[in-house]
Amino acid sequence: MKEQTLALHHGYHKDEYKTMAVPVYQTTAYDFETAERAANLFALKELGPIYTRLNNPTTEVLENRIAALEKGAAAIATSSGQAAIFYAVANLAEAGDNILVAKKIYGGATTLLTHTIKRFGIEARLFESDDASDLEFQIDEKTKAIFFESLSNPHISIADVDTIVEIAQRHGVITICDNTVATPIIFNPIEHGVDVVVHSASKYINGQGTAIGGLIVESEELNEKLKGNEKYPQFNEPDESYHGLVYADLPFPIFTLRVRLSLIRDIGAAPAPFNSWLHIQGLETLAIRIKEHSANALKIARFLESHPKVKKVNYPGLESDTNHEKAKKYFKDTMASGLVSFEVESLEFAKHILDNTKLFSVVVNIGDSKSIITHPASTTHQQLSAEELEKTGVTPGLVRLSVGLEAADDLIEDLEQAMES
Ligand SMILES: *Cc1c(COP(=O)(O)O)cnc(C)c1O
């Protein structure tokens, strides 16, 4: 089935009332009815809801739909995109291990993966995801994961996914791709051999800026890669915290199962059922929204490219963009989603533009139907040092737009007047 159909119907089995809308199962717990059934559920002899920190029927519809859209075997939802990234990495790497992290990623992911995770004894080594030229020589026997964004926020650069995957496979390292900005409508990392896909559902999936959420999807092939693999003993040796359970012995997709039974069980960043429901509403229109976001963004990028006060425009849909060839190679119909960034001469002029737009709101978010303008150097990337900023490509005069679904002409007029001064 095509994406649009899956997004509307997949994974929902109507209950006795046959409700058309997926119900919000706003409950903490579930009646097991008998002691035996309770024991079976805990022993995984039978699968079913236990407690909403572990699973919930509304959240399960969201999980099933995103797994189908990403062409994966299974998915798990988390309370935020940050939690999804943390769990995906923590499921693979432990103290003493290292991970390879793309330089061009979301600011929150950079602080999480280079600073916070260091305090857990995991070292991050940075690489250039544009061409992966500095990836291979940094891999050693303690490298447990390679993390990158397919279409990076806020640099709007496209990863050389095939090269990254080829190197990772040669060294038996698991790849994690953050597909938040591209969305499964434009790009499917799993079809290119990626093992794990993560999302901030707060962005395009939700689409209206109404709830925070995260998702982790695993590929069909991942089970075979993890089973019997000495690099990942946590899937092959008895888990003492789960009465000696060996994940590799189970007939289920074991990557997300271990996130559920170990990480979410213990650390607990589980989604609220109502937030899952909001993300389900968003998914229903994702395919048509992404087409519009992409078309609007291209019109605005062309306008900016012709503006005398703009030094450089980053949008992979533009023929002049350094990422255009990759957009043609990887992205469906060369759609490039709604992020456009551009460079003006100074930090002061960048701020002037932010202060004078009327339709674009100054908000640190992306993927909303309403257009957004941000100045990464003074907000999302403010916590980074000058050297780190340089590494992630965020210059003082960089302005980022998340182009929404308003009429493109109105948005262009707004930018035009804000740049007059
Ligand atoms: C926003 C974002 C995140 C973090 O997600 P939250 O839902 O805000 O926790 C991770 N990756 C990317 C690419 C993002 O844009």
Side-chain angles (χ1 to χ4, degrees):
M1 261 188 273
K2 295 265 197 294
E3 279 92 354
Q4 182 54 21
T5 313
L6 290 171
L8 286 161
H9 295 284
H10 187 77
Y12 172 46
H13 309 288
K14 295 188 181 80
D15 68 10
E16 61 183 303
Y17 299 107
K18 307 289 172 203
T19 60
M20 276 299 280
V22 176
V24 187
Y25 287 94
Q26 191 66 47
T27 183
T28 305
Y30 309 86
D31 184 359
F32 303 136
E33 292 189 318
T34 64
E36 192 191 344
R37 180 147 187 277
N40 284 344
L41 284 166
F42 275 83
L44 305 176
K45 285 183 185 150
E46 200 179 315
L47 290 184
I50 293 176
Y51 186 67
T52 284
R53 174 154 33 80
L54 296 172
N55 40 19
N56 173 278
T58 306
T59 298
E60 196 176 297
V61 174
L62 174 67
E63 292 168 341
N64 290 339
R65 283 191 187 168
I66 198 72
L69 287 170
E70 284 290 9
K71 304 181 176 20
I76 183 162
T78 58
S79 60
S80 70
Q82 287 292 98
I85 295 170
F86 176 66
Y87 289 158
V89 169
N91 208 23
L92 295 169
E94 297 178 358
D97 290 336
N98 67 70
I99 55 172
L100 274 140
V101 177
K103 290 176 189 167
K104 289 178 181 158
I105 55 171
Y106 176 67
T110 301
T111 50
L112 166 64
L113 297 179
T114 59
H115 294 285
T116 300
I117 237 174
K118 202 196 237 172
R119 292 169 35 219
F120 293 79
I122 300 165
E123 179 204 344
R125 300 173 179 178
L126 302 182
F127 78 101
E128 188 54 71
S129 49
D130 290 3
D131 57 8
S133 54
D134 53 358
L135 174 60
E136 186 156 22
F137 74 85
Q138 298 197 74
I139 296 175
D140 61 27
E141 72 283 0
K142 288 284 186 190
T143 304
K144 299 297 169 76
I146 298 173
F147 179 89
F148 64 98
E149 292 180 7
S150 46
L151 176 54
S152 70
N153 170 22
H155 329 80
I156 321 183
S157 176
I158 300 173
D160 188 352
V161 183
D162 287 349
T163 304
I164 295 170
V165 166
E166 189 269 316
I167 293 169
Q169 286 181 347
R170 201 139 30 78
H171 292 268
V173 179
I174 304 301
T175 45
I176 305 170
C177 176
D178 183 334
N179 201 33
T180 298
V181 183
T183 82
I185 304 305
I186 291 179
F187 182 61
N188 284 129
I190 287 175
E191 284 192 327
H192 288 264
V194 166
D195 303 303
V196 177
V197 176
V198 294
H199 277 279
S200 166
S202 329
K203 314 293 171 54
Y204 289 99
I205 287 175
N206 177 283
Q208 296 185 312
T210 57
I212 303 283
L215 294 153
I216 305 173
V217 186
E218 69 177 288
S219 74
E220 297 274 359
E221 289 76 34
L222 188 50
N223 259 15
E224 282 315 305
K225 284 192 182 179
L226 293 173
K227 285 184 182 180
N229 188 339
E230 285 172 14
K231 209 178 178 80
Y232 302 101
Q234 64 270 46
F235 292 94
N236 294 290
E237 289 170 5
D239 181 350
E240 296 311 330
S241 80
Y242 211 105
H243 51 68
L245 179 79
V246 177
Y247 287 95
D249 293 345
L250 298 170
F252 311 115
I254 57 176
F255 186 87
T256 49
L257 189 70
R258 185 167 181 272
V259 171
R260 198 182 294 282
L261 298 185
S262 170
L263 291 165
I264 288 226
R265 178 197 63 183
D266 295 349
I267 310 175
F274 184 65
N275 285 0
S276 296
W277 184 82
L278 289 169
H279 299 317
I280 290 168
Q281 307 315 303
L283 263 192
E284 290 195 353
T285 56
L286 180 64
I288 49 177
R289 280 187 290 110
I290 279 295
K291 250 188 222 164
E292 275 305 300
H293 279 293
S294 301
N296 261 6
L298 184 59
K299 284 182 201 157
I300 285 162
R302 288 204 202 290
F303 156 74
L304 289 167
E305 202 174 30
S306 67
H307 198 286
K309 288 182 185 163
V310 174
K311 277 167 52 181
K312 185 167 182 251
V313 182
N314 303 304
Y315 189 65
L318 288 176
E319 292 76 8
S320 61
D321 192 88
T322 48
N323 285 282
H324 189 64
E325 284 309 309
K326 275 186 272 182
K328 279 204 291 196
K329 174 179 175 185
Y330 289 116
F331 291 176
K332 188 177 171 202
D333 302 332
T334 323
M335 285 192 284
S337 197
L339 294 194
V340 176
S341 71
F342 60 101
E343 247 175 84
V344 293
E345 63 190 358
S346 66
L347 181 135
E348 290 70 33
F349 189 52
K351 285 188 164 172
H352 172 89
I353 298 170
L354 262 73
D355 291 345
N356 286 283
T357 47
K358 296 185 174 77
L359 265 181
F360 284 86
S361 303
V362 183
V363 170
V364 282
N365 189 21
I366 58 166
D368 196 318
S369 300
K370 281 86 68 186
S371 288
I372 288 167
I373 187 164
T374 49
H375 182 237
S378 63
T379 54
T380 47
H381 287 62
Q382 190 199 55
Q383 283 93 332
L384 306 185
S385 67
E387 192 191 334
E388 284 172 315
L389 280 182
E390 171 78 32
K391 273 187 201 155
T392 61
V394 175
T395 58
L398 188 79
V399 175
R400 189 196 65 192
L401 305 176
S402 169
V403 177
L405 302 177
E406 300 91 344
D409 288 348
D410 292 333
L411 294 173
I412 288 171
E413 206 178 296
D414 192 31
L415 288 170
E416 206 158 28
Q417 63 80 26
M419 284 197 278
E420 275 168 20
S421 66

